[in-house]
Amino acid sequence: MIDKILRRAAVEEMTGLSRSTLYRMMDRGEFPRPARIGQRAVGWRQSSVNTWLSQCASAEECRA
């Protein structure tokens, strides 16, 4: 199965996290880093986001 690449808006919708929270969590190593998909574009592997979500009872708990 091909791992779908998600853009930031889709990741925000899936997780319920804002842009600033996503990047803050990435800086702290608490959220997966995106893959570069173009010169000025990044995207997250859907499997990475799903794994992160499965490790949390809810995205609210993971915002700490």
Side-chain angles (χ1 to χ4, degrees), residues 16-17 24 30 34 38-39 43-44 46 51 54 63:
L17 301 173
R24 184 173 51 249
E30 298 171 355
Q39 188 173 1
W44 285 259
Q46 186 172 19
T51 298
S54 69
R63 288 188 205 194

Side-chain angles (χ1 to χ4, degrees), residues 38-51:
Q39 188 173 1
R40 293 179 40 170
V42 297
W44 285 259
R45 294 184 184 280
Q46 186 172 19
S47 62
S48 297
V49 176
N50 286 336
T51 298

Side-chain angles (χ1 to χ4, degrees), residues 10-63:
V11 173
E12 289 175 9
E13 187 174 325
M14 281 181 70
T15 63
L17 301 173
S18 69
R19 175 187 168 274
S20 58
T21 301
L22 282 173
Y23 284 99
R24 184 173 51 249
M25 291 179 74
M26 283 189 294
D27 287 342
R28 295 188 301 205
E30 298 171 355
F31 194 80
R33 290 225 169 251
R36 184 156 299 282
I37 58 174
Q39 188 173 1
R40 293 179 40 170
V42 297
W44 285 259
R45 294 184 184 280
Q46 186 172 19
S47 62
S48 297
V49 176
N50 286 336
T51 298
W52 181 83
L53 284 169
S54 69
Q55 293 172 350
C56 300
S58 70
E60 189 70 35
E61 288 180 10
C62 295
R63 288 188 205 194

